[in-house]
Amino acid sequence: MALSGMRGLSVFISDIRNCPNKEQERLRVDKELGNVRTRFKNEKGLTPYEKKKYVWKMLYIYMLGYDVDFGHMEAVSLISAPKYPEKQVGYIVTACLLNENHDFLRLAINTVRNDIIGRNETFQCLALTMVGNIGGREFAESLAPDVQKLLISSSCRPLVRKKAALCLLRLYRKNPDVVNVDGWADRMAQLLDERDLGVLTSSMSLLVALVSNNHEAYWSCLPKCVKTLERLARNQDVPQEYTYYGIPSPWLQVKTMRVLQYFPTIEDPNTRRSLFEVLQRILMGTDVVKNVNKNNASHAVLFEALALVMHLDAEKEMMSQCVALLGKFIAVREPNIRYLGLENMSRMLLVTDVQDIIKRHQAQIITSLKDPDISIRRRALDLLYGMCDVTNAKDIVEEILQYLSTAEFAMREELALKAAILAEKFAPDLSWYVDVILQLIDKAGDFVSDDIWFRVVQFVTNNEDLQPYAAAKAREYLDKPAIHETMVKVSAYLLGEFGHLLARRPGCSPKEIFSIIHEKLPTVTPSTIPILLSTYAKILMHNQPPEPELQNQIWAIFTKYESCIDAEIQQRAVEYFALSRKGAALMDILAEMPKFPERQSALIKKAEDTEVDTAEQSAIKLRSQQHPSNALVVTDQRPANGTPPVTQLSLVKVPSMSSNVDHNAAEQGLSPENGTLSIVDPQPPSADHQADLLGDLLGPLAIEGPPSTDVQPQQNIVSGVEDFPNAVEATAIVPVGEQTNSVQPVGNIAERFHALCLKDSGVLYEDPYIQIGIKAEWRAHHGRLVLFLGNKNTNPLLSVQAIILPPSHLKIELSLVPETIPPRAQVQCPLEIVNLRPSRDVAVLDFSYKFGNNMVNSKLRLPAVLNKFLQPIPVSAEEFFPQWRSLSGPPLKLQEVIRGVRPMPLPDMANLFNSFRLMVCSGLDPNPNNLVASTTFYSESTRAMLCLVRIETDPADRTQLRMTVASGDPTLTLELKEFIKEQLVSIPTASRAPGAAPPAPPVLQPTSPPSAALTDPGAMLAGLL
């Protein structure tokens, strides 16, 4: 920002920097905005210098974080200025203040095009920079052909062509269906012969995007890419300005190798040999030095070369060289380098015949497990888990068990799970497996899932030789003074089933076993008591004829729990007591458990699903994560989403978010879910746990993977609609045709939707194939949602479609959605929302995809509800009373007595109001049983509209209250009153179309104020109400 000669701008910046607090800064900004607005109204009297100065001030204010909602036309008009200083300001400010959908940009398209096709190189660069930054669809349709001509023009300077390549890349990423690149393979091959490394680097970035969508069309570019790598590796014809710490253009090397990874293989032997020579040179010439910048550049090239070596399935000798080089990395002191070495060595495990070479570094990897940096410890754990087999399983599992005692709580669950999986997969004998699992439970019982000890029970039950050993080990652990509850469960089960095999051993008589187990009964939770009762019954069964003293003790326990409030415990106690009176017949009734059918472990199944990944799929996943576009994924087909036909558009209303609504819907035979999932020709999905794909992108989302899910029996989702006219409202589904089949999604989707109505990030929908997350930002009447679509499987999701069914009060624009989501990848789909007027109607996302032979469709409510456009605002008595007086009676002020309210304490009601962005103002009402709240509602029709709410409660009857809502807009008053009512009580109401006019508000008789004179603010409020 050139400030020379702009004294007014310099003074304004100095004033802002000298403001002692935020309030003073706001006052100074408001004063300046008022001044700029006044000067712009008299635009004819402005000189180009003054207009430029004021536009610079607008940009500076915008950079400070303040809204600048005027002056956009003045900024756009500067683009057509003949002189560079004014044109520069116009381009910069327009690119910063306006988004791709702004109407003013259409006014500038012709001017921008004239600058691009003109002869002034400076103007060309300014225009290309702005087009690349904004990247709108209209820009792509109008300007992409001119940008393409500029890129391949031989008469343009490299600076312009470099910017043209980057501009075209941006337009292609944003609008791949608009930018025509058919027949560009030959032109891209010509661009790769460019001698200027700046143009070549930009062209290579463009080529990465092109081959990611369709590599088949660009085979002619492959030899050129290898020649470029040869040129850089030999440092031939590389200018000094492109040499970074002695490394020739590391950025270009990385991009070139990234391009080569999109091609499945290299058939030409000469090209393949040349490429491997280059890779060999990179591997031989990379070492760890003290200079951090040089390390960063050389390691970027090295790790991309390693990825390419794995992708091409190089010879074993080169693989060995790669592992040896990584072995040096994990031995250095610098933690960043150690981390990179461990991470890339884990990727090398995906290549066959490399695991034995990696085992040579096992000792160093185990040392990294004790590193002070937790990220390095995690990578070391992943590497140990991946390299484990029968030969080194004992060593690795013992190290994990030893580390488990001192590990952080954040890692213990992962450690326990991986130790259990390794012990089961590679156990040299079953007794060692039992020892490992019991040690796991003893050291980290809180982090051992039930699946782990269930699996131990299966092994012991199915192997008779193992039963005495397992029972004896369980008996040993019970001697400890304090053991985890999971250990009590597994020990009690094993001793109940197989304790009789230890009867001749000292301390293992039935009475002694009962006594030591019974000592643990007071310390366990109700979930463990049924297992102990079963153990007592088994002890009686094996002790026939029973010892009278032992029998009486066990009967006394059964009698005690016959009146337990827990139904499971009560039923077992009653039945066991009755069965134990049958004498010898008890032997047949409570016989030993039969052998479990042979089946694959759920733990190993989950591990195998994680490991079903090839080097190529890993590269695709890595590229999809690093692809910086709106839809962060590689697709092979055109995006498929659009505006639905009018005949399919049904409008829905936000139902009550109270739990009573869900309960009522369930009683009517309806699923109270956010959406319904339809499947054609259904096949049972995998019933194992799926990997979480959104955690790394969303940050605060922290989404857990879904639990095991089975396909539910098919049911007619339309059943019960005739009996319940509000079925559409209760489920918030747009019924487009009849959907005859359904699959149960993971989790309660209605609860997910209600949670997202209160927060701005979370999971909207999940099924065995896909997870849809949301992250939202709300600013006045504008909202921006990002849909995160995560493929949870190792197969792609095809025919992906997303259509928004918007209500009439919302203007919604959805970005392009790719038609294919690769395995274990995710896409981001931004969604722009503008609130036009107050309404409680809700938008619906019609989402469908194909997995295998299954066509899945779901219609989901989007959490763009009324309270998202509220902004809580504190109101003092001086501000409140004039507003309240001015809003006198219907339709601006509505009052209603509400019955059937969910009883809740007043603080809980205040918290509920705050969660819906209604600020409770304490001290305004003299009655401590009442609440007063205020908020500001934003929409295009109302702008910022103050809303006031008063709640009068009766301490003797919390199921009813009187509510008064006031605002300057009658529709807003009614909608806000009904919205709050829905949160407080569940009353089925007939749904109406969002566009329909609200019913006339009821005429309410105002209450007469007390006759006594009131002086304090609270008393004045009571009098007014």
Side-chain angles (χ1 to χ4, degrees):
M1 185 182 295
L3 302 182
S4 58
M6 295 189 190
R7 184 172 178 275
L9 178 60
S10 301
V11 170
F12 173 61
I13 294 175
S14 300
D15 291 345
I16 292 294
R17 291 176 175 174
N18 294 330
C19 288
N21 52 49
K22 190 69 177 178
E23 187 61 31
Q24 292 294 326
E25 179 184 296
R26 180 179 292 277
L27 291 174
R28 182 67 182 89
V29 168
D30 289 343
K31 178 182 176 182
E32 192 63 38
L33 285 175
N35 179 45
V36 174
R37 191 190 299 268
T38 303
R39 297 305 300 270
F40 279 166
K41 286 182 179 178
N42 187 23
E43 186 177 359
K44 294 181 180 179
L46 285 178
T47 64
Y49 164 78
E50 289 176 323
K51 183 184 291 188
K52 176 180 65 173
K53 179 178 67 174
Y54 291 133
V55 171
W56 274 130
K57 287 184 178 181
M58 286 169 44
L59 178 60
Y60 182 70
I61 292 171
Y62 177 79
M63 291 167 59
L64 292 176
Y66 296 95
D67 287 332
V68 179
D69 55 0
F70 69 95
H72 299 164
M73 189 62 199
E74 284 74 11
V76 173
S77 65
L78 285 174
I79 293 178
S80 58
K83 295 183 179 179
Y84 172 77
E86 287 80 13
K87 188 179 287 286
Q88 178 200 29
V89 176
Y91 274 120
I92 292 176
V93 177
T94 300
C96 292
L97 295 187
L98 305 186
N99 61 33
E100 61 186 73
N101 300 317
H102 203 286
D103 293 337
F104 284 170
L105 287 179
R106 297 172 184 168
L107 305 176
I109 288 181
N110 285 334
T111 303
V112 174
R113 184 174 185 274
N114 290 334
D115 285 341
I116 289 177
I117 64 178
R119 294 295 181 180
N120 191 314
E121 295 175 351
T122 306
F123 292 176
Q124 287 178 324
C125 292
L126 288 175
L128 291 170
T129 302
M130 190 198 75
V131 173
N133 284 332
I134 294 178
R137 190 177 186 85
E138 292 188 10
F139 273 1
E141 292 173 346
S142 305
L143 304 177
D146 297 315
V147 176
Q148 290 172 315
K149 292 178 183 177
L150 211 58
L151 174 60
I152 60 178
S153 172
S154 58
S155 60
C156 290
R157 289 182 57 192
L159 174 65
V160 178
R161 297 176 64 199
K162 185 165 55 174
K163 288 187 176 291
L166 296 177
C167 178
L168 186 60
L169 170 63
R170 167 70 167 168
L171 294 177
Y172 181 75
R173 284 175 175 171
K174 288 279 289 182
N175 312 281
D177 57 329
V178 174
V179 180
N180 184 12
V181 292
D182 295 338
W184 258 68
D186 295 337
R187 294 178 180 178
M188 289 305 303
Q190 294 174 7
L191 287 172
L192 295 183
D193 291 330
E194 178 67 40
R195 305 310 297 173
D196 185 275
L197 290 189
V199 177
L200 186 57
T201 304
S202 302
S203 301
M204 198 65 72
S205 299
L206 177 60
L207 183 60
V208 170
L210 294 174
V211 299
S212 66
N213 277 355
N214 180 19
H215 70 273
E216 294 291 342
Y218 296 93
W219 280 102
S220 59
C221 297
L222 194 149
K224 300 290 183 70
C225 291
V226 176
K227 288 184 179 179
T228 301
L229 271 182
E230 283 186 286
R231 170 188 172 188
L232 296 174
R234 295 172 180 172
N235 203 0
Q236 294 177 347
D237 193 21
V238 178
Q240 184 63 34
E241 58 267 24
Y242 284 97
T243 302
Y244 185 78
Y245 286 91
I247 303 171
S249 190
W251 306 276
L252 181 56
Q253 292 189 54
V254 169
K255 291 177 187 294
T256 306
M257 288 186 281
R258 181 88 41 98
V259 168
L260 293 174
Q261 292 177 61
Y262 282 99
F263 294 96
T265 184
I266 299 178
E267 301 293 345
D268 183 54
N270 294 328
T271 304
R272 186 178 177 89
R273 184 176 60 255
S274 301
L275 178 58
F276 279 126
E277 289 177 0
V278 172
L279 295 176
Q280 182 75 29
R281 184 186 295 268
I282 293 174
L283 296 177
M284 294 291 293
T286 304
D287 203 353
V288 179
V289 296
K290 292 184 177 181
N291 190 299
V292 176
N293 293 323
K294 184 173 183 178
N295 274 339
N296 292 339
S298 62
H299 294 163
V301 176
L302 171 66
F303 294 137
E304 203 65 43
L306 290 176
L308 184 55
V309 168
M310 290 187 287
H311 173 74
L312 296 175
D313 197 13
E315 299 173 355
K316 187 173 182 180
E317 182 179 352
M318 181 172 283
M319 291 291 186
S320 302
Q321 187 178 352
C322 294
V323 175
L325 185 59
L326 293 176
K328 293 181 182 179
F329 278 34
I330 64 175
V332 300
R333 295 181 58 184
E334 174 61 36
N336 292 332
I337 297 177
R338 282 207 310 280
Y339 178 91
L340 293 172
L342 292 169
E343 183 181 37
N344 283 273
M345 197 173 281
S346 298
R347 293 178 182 172
M348 294 288 291
L349 288 171
L350 300 172
V351 183
T352 56
D353 300 331
V354 177
Q355 192 165 352
D356 291 336
I357 307 172
I358 295 178
K359 287 180 186 177
R360 302 170 189 169
H361 305 278
Q362 180 174 318
Q364 186 61 47
I365 298 169
I366 291 175
T367 303
S368 299
L369 200 60
K370 303 177 179 65
D371 195 275
D373 192 325
I374 187 172
S375 59
I376 293 178
R377 294 198 297 273
R378 287 187 181 278
R379 295 289 77 78
L381 176 61
D382 292 340
L383 182 53
L384 286 173
Y385 175 78
M387 63 186 285
C388 185
D389 59 15
V390 179
T391 61
N392 59 0
K394 274 193 172 184
D395 296 335
I396 291 178
V397 172
E398 286 175 4
E399 286 293 338
I400 293 177
L401 289 176
Q402 183 179 353
Y403 175 58
L404 193 60
S405 303
T406 58
E408 299 88 345
F409 287 102
M411 285 189 65
R412 289 193 181 185
E413 183 174 3
E414 184 181 2
L415 284 166
L417 177 63
K418 290 188 173 179
I421 293 174
L422 294 179
E424 182 176 344
K425 288 178 68 175
F426 307 114
D429 57 79
L430 291 178
S431 60
W432 177 80
Y433 169 70
V434 172
D435 288 340
V436 168
I437 301 302
L438 293 180
Q439 287 184 59
L440 268 182
I441 297 173
D442 184 46
K443 293 183 177 182
D446 287 330
F447 306 95
V448 175
S449 65
D450 287 343
D451 287 337
I452 294 177
W453 78 268
F454 289 169
R455 190 62 175 164
V456 174
V457 168
Q458 293 174 22
F459 274 116
V460 176
T461 303
N462 290 2
N463 294 273
E464 294 182 2
D465 296 339
L466 189 61
Q467 293 168 1
Y469 179 81
K473 295 297 291 185
R475 174 67 180 82
E476 290 177 11
Y477 277 101
L478 285 178
D479 283 333
K480 292 188 175 184
I483 60 175
H484 193 271
E485 187 169 345
T486 305
M487 182 66 76
V488 176
K489 291 179 183 179
V490 65
S491 299
Y493 185 93
L494 292 175
L495 289 174
E497 289 289 333
F498 315 114
H500 63 283
L501 302 176
L502 308 178
R504 296 184 179 181
R505 300 190 185 186
C508 296
S509 66
K511 187 174 182 180
E512 289 172 314
I513 289 178
F514 165 76
S515 298
I516 196 168
I517 293 176
H518 190 53
E519 288 176 1
K520 311 299 181 184
L521 181 61
T523 65
V524 299
T525 60
S527 63
T528 306
I529 293 177
I531 298 177
L532 298 186
L533 295 181
S534 300
T535 300
Y536 299 157
K538 291 280 187 175
I539 291 175
L540 271 184
M541 182 268 292
H542 290 301
N543 187 31
Q544 293 293 333
E547 298 180 16
E549 182 182 355
L550 176 61
Q551 186 181 56
N552 291 335
Q553 286 179 321
I554 294 178
W555 280 359
I557 296 171
F558 290 159
T559 305
K560 173 184 175 183
Y561 285 105
E562 281 181 346
S563 58
C564 180
I565 194 172
D566 188 296
E568 174 72 13
I569 298 174
Q570 183 189 73
Q571 182 178 356
R572 292 204 186 201
V574 172
E575 293 179 355
Y576 289 154
F577 184 67
L579 291 173
S580 62
R581 291 178 174 273
K582 294 185 177 293
L586 191 63
M587 296 286 292
D588 297 328
I589 300 172
L590 294 179
E592 289 185 10
M593 287 288 293
K595 290 186 178 182
F596 291 91
E598 291 297 329
R599 57 189 177 190
Q600 189 176 17
S601 166
L603 300 176
I604 292 183
K605 183 67 170 65
K606 182 165 70 171
E608 288 178 352
D609 281 348
T610 304
E611 291 167 1
V612 175
D613 197 1
T614 64
E616 181 179 355
Q617 289 172 334
S618 297
I620 292 175
K621 179 182 177 183
L622 180 65
R623 289 193 294 269
S624 67
Q625 291 174 342
Q626 295 175 347
H627 205 298
S629 63
N630 269 350
L632 302 180
V633 70
V634 179
T635 62
D636 293 328
Q637 287 85 14
R638 292 166 62 104
N641 70 307
T643 305
V646 178
T647 55
Q648 291 186 346
L649 182 60
S650 299
L651 299 164
V652 291
K653 174 177 287 191
V654 178
S656 170
M657 296 177 191
S658 67
S659 59
N660 295 336
V661 167
D662 298 337
H663 181 64
N664 294 339
E667 290 178 351
Q668 297 291 339
L670 288 171
S671 173
E673 311 224 334
N674 192 4
T676 299
L677 191 66
S678 301
I679 266 198
V680 179
D681 189 18
Q683 295 179 354
S686 173
D688 57 282
H689 296 272
Q690 301 291 342
D692 175 23
L693 297 171
L694 300 181
D696 58 339
L697 274 177
L698 286 186
L701 287 178
I703 304 169
E704 294 291 338
S708 299
T709 308
D710 295 330
V711 177
Q712 301 298 323
Q714 297 180 6
Q715 58 183 0
N716 191 334
I717 65 164
V718 189
S719 62
V721 174
E722 295 179 357
D723 299 329
F724 185 42
N726 286 330
V728 175
E729 179 177 323
T731 55
I733 297 171
V734 178
V736 183
E738 183 179 4
Q739 300 171 343
T740 57
N741 300 319
S742 67
V743 170
Q744 189 73 16
V746 176
N748 189 320
I749 302 180
E751 292 180 0
R752 295 185 190 274
F753 170 73
H754 297 156
L756 286 171
C757 290
L758 301 179
K759 59 183 183 179
D760 291 334
S761 62
V763 178
L764 178 68
Y765 172 82
E766 186 171 0
D767 63 33
Y769 307 132
I770 196 168
Q771 186 182 61
I772 302 178
I774 276 186
K775 192 170 185 180
E777 294 179 359
W778 306 94
R779 192 171 183 178
H781 61 285
H782 292 274
R784 178 181 172 85
L785 273 74
V786 180
L787 296 176
F788 294 86
L789 311 178
N791 182 357
K792 297 159 52 177
N793 293 272
T794 55
N795 294 319
L797 300 181
L798 307 174
S799 303
V800 179
Q801 268 198 324
I803 299 175
I804 299 296
L805 309 177
S808 60
H809 77 284
L810 293 179
K811 179 182 177 183
I812 302 180
E813 293 185 5
L814 176 64
S815 68
L816 298 175
V817 178
E819 192 173 0
T820 302
I821 304 179
R824 299 197 182 278
Q826 58 193 1
V827 299
Q828 297 181 29
C829 303
L831 198 68
E832 300 291 340
I833 299 177
V834 178
N835 184 28
L836 304 179
R837 59 180 177 276
S839 176
R840 287 170 296 130
D841 303 327
V842 66
V844 171
L845 171 67
D846 186 351
F847 183 81
S848 61
Y849 63 91
K850 185 177 182 181
F851 181 82
N853 295 325
N854 300 335
M855 192 66 198
V856 185
N857 176 259
S858 56
K859 296 179 176 63
L860 312 170
R861 291 175 293 174
L862 291 176
V865 291
L866 184 140
N867 65 295
K868 297 295 186 180
F869 304 104
L870 298 178
Q871 183 64 42
I873 178 173
V875 177
S876 63
E878 294 76 12
E879 298 169 325
F880 180 86
F881 294 118
Q883 292 285 345
W884 190 265
R885 292 191 190 98
S886 64
L887 303 171
S888 56
L892 300 181
K893 183 187 292 182
L894 298 179
Q895 189 176 87
E896 182 178 353
V897 175
I898 304 176
R899 295 179 175 84
V901 177
R902 289 179 289 140
M904 67 180 76
L906 207 60
D908 291 354
M909 187 178 293
N911 291 335
L912 179 66
F913 275 52
N914 289 328
S915 67
F916 284 102
R917 307 190 182 191
L918 295 165
M919 177 169 285
V920 175
C921 304
S922 58
L924 287 184
D925 199 305
N927 190 336
N929 295 311
N930 297 348
L931 290 179
V932 175
S934 61
T935 189
T936 304
F937 177 81
Y938 291 89
S939 71
E940 277 198 354
S941 63
T942 64
R943 292 299 173 182
M945 181 69 67
L946 179 65
C947 306
L948 304 174
V949 182
R950 188 192 190 211
I951 303 292
E952 300 170 86
T953 66
D954 183 2
D957 186 2
R958 291 289 186 186
T959 62
Q960 63 178 359
L961 54 83
R962 182 166 65 181
M963 176 172 62
T964 310
V965 179
S967 76
D969 182 84
T971 304
L972 172 58
T973 303
L974 177 65
E975 294 289 342
L976 182 59
K977 178 179 76 70
E978 293 299 319
F979 176 81
I980 299 174
K981 180 179 175 181
E982 287 175 348
Q983 316 316 316
L984 299 175
V985 63
S986 171
I987 302 176
T989 57
S991 58
R992 63 176 174 86
V1003 178
L1004 301 175
Q1005 297 298 329
T1007 58
S1008 57
S1011 58
L1014 303 172
T1015 55
D1016 65 287
M1020 291 173 62
L1021 174 64
L1024 286 169
L1025 293 174

